[in-house]
Amino acid sequence: RGKEEKGKVWMPKLRLVKEYKDKRKSIDDVERNIFKFKKSSEEKNTKMDEEEKFFRETFMFQQEIRVLSRARAERSVPSRRRADLPLTAGEHLDVIAAPHGHAVICRNARGRYGYVLVEHLSFR
């Protein structure tokens, strides 16, 4: 009996305050929301990959996609064809290539690519 009692260590049972339990539950809820966010970002990445694949096929762009500069759309312009990028005023764009003198290939924040006329953009 003496050896068994020495092996056991008696610890007092600590009681948690009710407020602390509520805070802990809310923290757990926030962590769960973070995991949901990661799931949606994975879906966003797959959509961007699809857009990039479509861009490479449509524009026959085999090079590495590098941002040459950043520009801001001065006015809203709807797209008339799939190759054109629809713009909203104040939207920030990444300029990928400048194959023609009057139009450049841009990417918007949603990952969509298309032609944009230089007259609709303002460069910094």
Side-chain angles (χ1 to χ4, degrees):
R1 277 195 168 196
K3 291 180 183 177
E4 291 176 14
E5 290 176 8
K6 285 183 181 176
K8 272 188 175 181
V9 176
W10 180 81
M11 295 290 289
K13 189 171 184 180
L14 300 174
R15 298 182 186 238
L16 296 175
V17 180
K18 189 175 182 180
E19 295 172 10
Y20 178 73
K21 284 183 182 179
D22 294 339
K23 285 181 184 177
R24 193 175 67 190
K25 286 180 184 176
S26 66
I27 291 170
D28 293 342
D29 293 341
V30 170
E31 290 174 358
R32 287 189 192 117
N33 290 339
I34 291 171
F35 292 123
K36 288 181 185 176
F37 176 74
K38 287 182 181 178
K39 194 177 217 181
S40 67
S41 67
E42 288 175 6
E43 293 171 0
K44 187 176 179 181
N45 287 339
T46 57
K47 181 151 176 105
M48 286 184 138
D49 291 341
E50 291 172 7
E51 286 289 340
E52 183 179 335
K53 183 179 176 184
F54 179 80
F55 162 70
R56 288 187 181 279
E57 291 172 357
T58 305
F59 295 93
M60 294 179 229
F61 198 83
Q62 303 302 323
Q63 306 164 3
E64 178 186 351
I65 296 175
R66 289 186 296 162
V67 177
L68 301 177
S69 65
R70 289 188 49 88
R72 188 176 56 86
E74 290 183 342
R75 59 183 77 99
S76 297
V77 180
S79 65
R80 298 177 189 223
R81 55 189 177 139
R82 178 63 173 116
D84 293 336
L85 185 65
L87 299 176
T88 55
E91 181 179 17
H92 291 280
L93 303 168
D94 297 329
V95 177
I96 304 298
H100 305 294
H102 63 281
V104 292
I105 297 174
C106 294
R107 175 179 60 197
N108 64 6
R110 286 177 247 118
R112 188 167 175 196
Y113 297 85
Y115 284 116
V116 178
L117 293 176
V118 175
E119 61 195 39
H120 299 306
L121 300 175
S122 67
F123 296 91
R124 292 181 189 172

